[in-house]
Amino acid sequence: MKRHLPNAITCLNLLCGCLALTCIFNGRLDLGAWFVAAAAAADFADGLVARALRVSSAIGKDLDSLADMVSFGVVPGAIFFQLLAQGLKPGGLPEWVPYLGFAVSIFSALRLAKFNNDTRQTTSFIGLPTPACTLVVASLPLILAYDQFGLAPIILNPWLLLGLTALLSGLLVAELPLFALKFKNLRWADNRRRFMFLLLAVGLILVLRAAAVPLVVLLYVLLSVPKTAARGAE
């Protein structure tokens, strides 16, 4: 029975992704964003449970990628599509522009395919993980829904959304080594970067709430830079 528990959690990730899509195309982007958060929690939990139970399988690995393609591939493209559609003004950019948001879905598929076949990514990542990318995108509807800083005009600017689409698409497939949040032990010396990231991330979220998510992902990338520089020096 325990053999199937991680796969069941992966299926929960997939279900949350499907529910997120339903909400997004019904105009409830904020509710869709919460389902994305639930999908991310399930995605983290399935690997945690699999390691704790010491179970793994080729089917589990493939199922995880298929679920991620929905929750962290199709979903962010759909959010960008809807936000770009909302941001278009009469007489402005062409009506086909919102479809460019699905570029992030295409690059997410490339990212997942690379991850499954790249032996370098067993203990760390190369390129931005799809859940991190999707959390950035999903934070935008939440920032709009609870806009305590008056950011709506900025977020709904089509040029900003297109720039963010291009940036995230590039980061997904970039040859950029990033640390993984996998703790083999709880010693500070072995996990200093991870502990620093978690402490700073919690502080930002407590102060800025949803608006902190893009900053948290930026912090994740920046904290990985020393590691990248060290590899380059070698």
Side-chain angles (χ1 to χ4, degrees):
M1 188 70 178
K2 70 177 185 179
R3 203 159 51 91
H4 300 292
L5 184 57
N7 289 347
I9 299 173
T10 301
C11 289
L12 179 61
N13 165 12
L14 176 58
L15 175 61
C16 289
C18 294
L19 294 174
L21 280 173
T22 301
C23 294
I24 291 163
F25 284 115
N26 279 303
R28 289 298 309 275
L29 274 71
D30 56 336
L31 185 56
W34 287 116
F35 277 119
V36 166
D43 183 58
F44 180 78
D46 63 4
L48 197 66
V49 170
R51 287 190 293 273
L53 297 178
R54 297 181 182 178
V55 295
S56 63
S57 68
I59 289 177
K61 181 179 178 181
D62 290 341
L63 182 62
D64 187 67
S65 290
L66 291 169
D68 285 357
M69 186 56 220
V70 175
S71 299
F72 311 124
V74 181
V75 167
I79 293 175
F80 270 137
F81 173 84
Q82 292 286 58
L83 290 176
L84 282 163
Q86 290 180 32
L88 288 185
K89 296 179 179 179
L93 295 172
E95 293 184 359
W96 52 261
V97 164
Y99 293 96
L100 296 177
F102 286 107
V104 78
S105 300
I106 295 170
F107 280 89
S108 293
L110 292 171
R111 167 77 179 88
L112 290 167
K114 284 181 62 178
F115 178 79
N116 283 348
N117 294 278
D118 193 341
T119 56
R120 299 173 298 170
Q121 300 191 57
T122 53
T123 58
S124 62
F125 299 116
I126 296 178
L128 187 67
T130 53
C133 170
T134 302
L135 287 174
V136 172
V137 181
S139 72
L140 302 180
L142 293 179
I143 295 171
L144 289 173
Y146 312 101
D147 191 10
Q148 62 190 63
F149 301 110
L151 298 175
I154 299 173
I155 290 174
L156 290 176
N157 185 312
W159 291 108
L160 175 75
L161 291 169
L162 289 172
L164 188 57
T165 300
L167 175 63
L168 291 173
S169 296
L171 286 174
L172 284 166
V173 295
E175 286 290 312
L176 179 66
L178 301 171
F179 66 90
L181 289 173
K182 295 178 181 179
F183 291 84
K184 294 182 178 178
N185 56 64
L186 295 178
R187 289 195 295 268
W188 172 265
D190 296 333
N191 300 286
R192 180 173 56 186
R193 186 180 284 106
R194 296 179 181 87
F195 281 128
M196 286 175 57
F197 169 71
L198 290 175
L199 289 171
L200 290 170
V202 169
L204 284 170
I205 290 170
L206 288 175
V207 175
L208 301 176
R209 299 183 183 178
V213 176
L215 296 178
V216 168
V217 174
L218 176 62
L219 177 67
Y220 172 54
V221 174
L222 291 177
L223 284 176
S224 296
V225 169
K227 185 176 180 180
T228 306
R231 285 189 178 185
E234 292 173 2

